[in-house]
Amino acid sequence: MPAGATVPVPRQRQAPGRGPRQEYLDAFDEADDLFTPRRPASAAHSAYPAPGSAHSADPYDAVTDWEAPPAPETSADPDDDDAPPTGVPAQTRGGKGRTFTGIAAAAVTTVLAVVVAGQVTGDPGGDAVQAQSAPEQARDVRNPASRGDDRETPSGTPDAKPLTYEQKLSKRYPLGATLDGSGEFEAIPGIDKAPGKGQKITYRVDVEKGLGLDGELFAEAVHKTLNDDRSWAHNGARTFERIHSGRPDFVITLASPGTTADWCAKSGLDTTVDNVSCDSAATERVMINAYRWAQGAETYGDDLFAYRQMLINHEIGHRLGYDHVTCDKDGDLAPVMQQQTKFLNHDGISCRPNPWAYPNS
């Protein structure tokens, strides 16, 4: 398709000129409203159970065998030079030899008592380690490197993985239906270049201060949604580029319900019924109601990912000149320009939710 060409959308009408279209105004001002205010969905929360930590085995689960061999029995007098050989070294004659033997036995007994006491008390680094023999001290049982190959080294608790873009865009976030914010906006910094070769449309993303919502996530969702081939960039007809400064073609604005109502009223639109969003065509702002962005709508249930894509495509569709339409056959996908926040069913016809201008691409 040549650059700059515009792709017509089935069942969607372009409104001539700039400013609110009469059909658009009529849709907001209908006395016989098709829609009943719905109770907002409750905020959902997710939790990630922390993995259990591993426990190491007791490093003192092996006890050295200190049992001494029994003393040889003999009836020979140790002072008798004619006694037959026993294979045991002869003691030094006299009291000194017997004294030395007694001291050695006492020393062994003392070492045994200290080692056993250390093992009973479970002290992994006290006197019991010092009382072990030299080979045992050389092998520090507290050192993981000394563990056998069949013993698992404890590891720390792994950090939880960060949420993906789709996971974050599928969560509900707390925000009140009657919140009236500061009315002050800040532009999300940075530039997202237009990925296509079609008619380039520039935009800026503003977020009202104090909402407590992720403005970077909102900006990412706008850029990815608009440049999807199922959206208004279909078949390379358009390409959307986010800028931070300068004069954009429009400003898509995430704002509290109160601030959204103020800006939509500048274009003669009342968003307080059903707490909806709008394209304030008399201004530069396309207003996305932060309550709907955070909480979704009953028509989409728990599919907040698709609902948020629909919000962006629907309101930018108005900025591009498309008016409200409805599906005309039971069971068909609702056109993206149907007021899907308010209703999916009308005149006995049941429509299916749809976030895309070209859903069959």
Side-chain angles (χ1 to χ4, degrees):
M1 177 173 292
T6 302
V7 178
V9 180
R11 304 189 303 280
Q12 297 172 344
R13 305 185 297 279
Q14 292 192 357
R18 180 172 177 78
R21 279 75 64 196
Q22 187 59 45
E23 296 90 345
Y24 189 33
L25 294 171
D26 293 343
F28 277 88
D29 295 333
E30 289 176 356
D32 185 13
D33 198 343
L34 296 171
F35 329 116
T36 302
R38 298 175 173 85
R39 182 177 59 191
S42 60
H45 301 279
S46 64
Y48 293 87
S53 58
H55 297 281
S56 60
D58 184 359
Y60 295 97
D61 57 357
V63 180
T64 304
D65 184 3
W66 289 93
E67 183 179 355
E73 296 181 2
T74 177
S75 60
D77 185 349
D79 293 330
D80 186 357
D81 293 338
D82 296 330
T86 62
V88 178
Q91 296 180 357
T92 305
R93 294 180 181 273
K96 291 183 178 180
R98 287 187 292 271
T99 301
F100 179 81
T101 301
I103 292 173
V108 171
T109 303
T110 302
V111 170
L112 272 170
V114 172
V115 171
V116 172
Q119 292 168 345
V120 171
T121 58
D123 178 11
D127 293 339
V129 174
Q130 297 298 324
Q132 292 176 1
S133 63
E136 287 295 320
Q137 287 179 326
R139 179 183 178 275
D140 185 356
V141 292
R142 292 169 295 167
N143 186 351
S146 68
R147 295 175 178 271
D149 293 338
D150 58 341
R151 298 179 65 185
E152 181 179 355
T153 302
S155 59
T157 301
D159 294 333
K161 291 182 179 180
L163 296 178
T164 65
Y165 163 75
E166 184 169 349
Q167 287 172 332
K168 288 187 286 188
L169 213 61
S170 299
K171 289 184 58 174
R172 280 193 175 87
Y173 299 97
L175 196 137
T178 59
L179 178 64
D180 191 359
S182 64
E184 298 180 5
F185 306 112
E186 55 186 359
I188 299 300
I191 295 174
D192 282 324
K193 300 295 290 184
K197 300 294 184 182
Q199 176 192 1
K200 186 165 77 171
I201 299 174
T202 59
Y203 68 95
R204 190 178 77 233
V205 173
D206 282 4
V207 176
E208 186 174 12
K209 294 180 179 179
L211 288 180
L213 297 175
D214 187 342
E216 296 283 350
L217 176 63
F218 177 66
E220 183 180 7
V222 170
H223 195 72
K224 286 184 175 180
T225 300
L226 292 179
N227 285 296
D228 193 294
D229 190 59
R230 296 166 293 178
S231 183
W232 304 113
H234 181 64
N235 273 351
R238 304 178 185 88
T239 184
F240 296 85
E241 180 167 295
R242 180 171 72 90
I243 63 176
H244 176 250
S245 59
R247 187 171 182 81
D249 292 311
F250 64 86
V251 179
I252 185 166
T253 308
L254 184 64
S256 65
T259 301
T260 296
D262 291 343
W263 276 87
C264 293
K266 296 180 184 202
S267 297
L269 303 172
D270 182 5
T271 59
T272 60
V273 178
D274 290 325
N275 224 352
V276 293
S277 305
C278 85
D279 168 34
S280 183
T283 75
E284 65 177 355
R285 296 192 183 277
V286 175
M287 303 300 297
I288 302 297
N289 190 320
Y291 169 71
R292 289 299 180 189
W293 179 261
Q295 291 286 306
E298 185 177 333
T299 49
Y300 271 71
D302 292 330
D303 194 358
L304 278 91
F305 185 61
Y307 176 74
R308 287 164 178 154
Q309 291 170 322
M310 187 277 295
L311 270 184
I312 294 167
N313 281 325
H314 182 94
E315 300 306 337
I316 297 304
H318 283 311
R319 179 60 53 154
L320 296 175
Y322 295 100
D323 290 323
H324 288 141
V325 291
T326 59
C327 75
D328 54 11
K329 183 179 178 182
D330 194 53
D332 276 1
L333 290 175
V336 75
M337 297 312 297
Q338 181 168 316
Q339 292 178 294
Q340 295 180 58
T341 293
K342 293 184 174 184
F343 69 96
L344 286 174
N345 304 326
H346 68 94
D347 301 324
I349 297 174
S350 178
C351 311
R352 291 182 290 137
N354 164 49
W356 301 109
Y358 299 89
N360 299 319
S361 298

